Amino acid sequence: MIPRVLSIAGSDSGAGAGIQADLKAFAACGVHGMTAITAITAQNTVDVIAVHPVPPDVIVAQVRAVADDIGVDAVKIGMLGDRPTIEAVAEALTYLPESTPIVLDPVMVAESGAVLLAPEARQALIENLLPRAAVLTPNVPEARTLVGDAEGDLDIETLARRVHALGPRAVVVTGGHREPLTDVYFDGRRLVELHGARHQDGAAHGSGCTHSSVLAARLAHGDEPLEAARAARELASRAVAQGLREIGAGPGPVDILGIACKPDVWAGLARSDTPGVDTLLA
């Protein structure tokens, strides 16, 4: 059985982040990706121009539709936006087995700086969804917001412990916003640093979405959370390193599928002696 992973997140019309990034990550990890869209955004590499929330009952219906027919082996939750959406997602999760691992990426601010989670919705996120999460994957600013560390006084290890105390079974505070570039994993027992290189010449739009999606996919494959976090760290870093810098005027999207690294594959499809090429191009 191919693992089945559901992304509950917003749609990015520029396809750099959101469910579009999630589906690419799922494909790269060999799982069948499904979606429950929470919001439609008009977005590119420079700005988020408009956000249209999906009605709460439609969010619940999307989750029920795939759960009833296809089944769900793991869930990744991304952009939620407001309290009604958070409450709808909490309701939708009741239609899944309690053992279904959930990776929650508390998306608060887009790469462009646009606010994607209303401040008044943060407490609803903490109360309704953090206790359901197998793994929570905030970046450093998101982690500080969740625990009220506005001045940035907490060191990274204390920050991870404080976030874990909010209810998730494990937390990965991602290191993209600090030096050194190190993710910190804490599950209430083990505190582990996951090291990686910074790719200054890469493209990072969608890196957080990709990281949490890989983590969810690896949980669906049967990895333990720490194993999944290591894989997510490695693959997200690779996706940034080979990111598509030439796409858009802002930070380009990550490239987890290696699109820019496989010119020979597409060149082969264009040769007239390639079997089936006429059918493929028709």
Side-chain angles (χ1 to χ4, degrees), residues 33-107:
M34 304 166 290
T35 62
I37 300 173
T38 58
I40 299 169
T41 72
Q43 185 176 167
N44 51 36
T45 64
V46 178
D47 196 11
V48 178
I49 299 165
V51 177
H52 178 68
V54 170
D57 62 321
V58 177
I59 295 172
V60 175
Q62 291 176 87
V63 176
R64 291 195 67 180
V66 298
D68 290 347
D69 174 44
I70 300 170
V72 179
D73 295 307
V75 177
K76 173 264 174 75
I77 300 175
M79 175 187 171
L80 297 174
D82 56 21
R83 176 180 284 272
T85 298
I86 291 169
E87 293 173 346
V89 170
E91 177 187 347
L93 294 178
T94 65
Y95 295 100
L96 303 178
E98 288 189 8
S99 60
T100 306
I102 297 167
V103 176
L104 174 57
D105 180 13
V107 178

Side-chain angles (χ1 to χ4, degrees), residues 4 21 51 56 84 92 98 124 130 189 198-199 207 233 248 262 270 277:
R4 304 149 299 178
V51 177
E98 288 189 8
L130 263 63
R189 182 172 58 89
R198 186 177 297 280
H199 303 287
S207 57
R233 177 71 187 82
K262 300 177 181 177
V277 72

Side-chain angles (χ1 to χ4, degrees), residues 169-185:
R169 292 194 292 281
V171 58
V172 179
V173 180
T174 59
H177 290 76
R178 73 185 191 97
E179 293 291 348
L181 181 61
T182 303
D183 295 352
V184 174
Y185 171 93

Side-chain angles (χ1 to χ4, degrees), residues 1 5 9 18-19 26 28 44 47 75 84 105 114 129 134 139 171 184 194 224 227 243 249 276:
M1 175 70 73
V5 185
I19 61 164
F26 293 159
N44 51 36
D47 196 11
V75 177
D105 180 13
L129 294 180
N139 58 34
V171 58
V184 174
L194 306 176
E224 294 298 319
E227 292 179 277

Side-chain angles (χ1 to χ4, degrees), residues 31 56 78 81 88 123-124 149 162 181 187 189 195 233 244 250:
V31 302
Q123 191 59 35
D149 182 29
R162 292 278 186 90
L181 181 61
D187 60 9
R189 182 172 58 89
H195 301 281
R233 177 71 187 82
L244 306 175

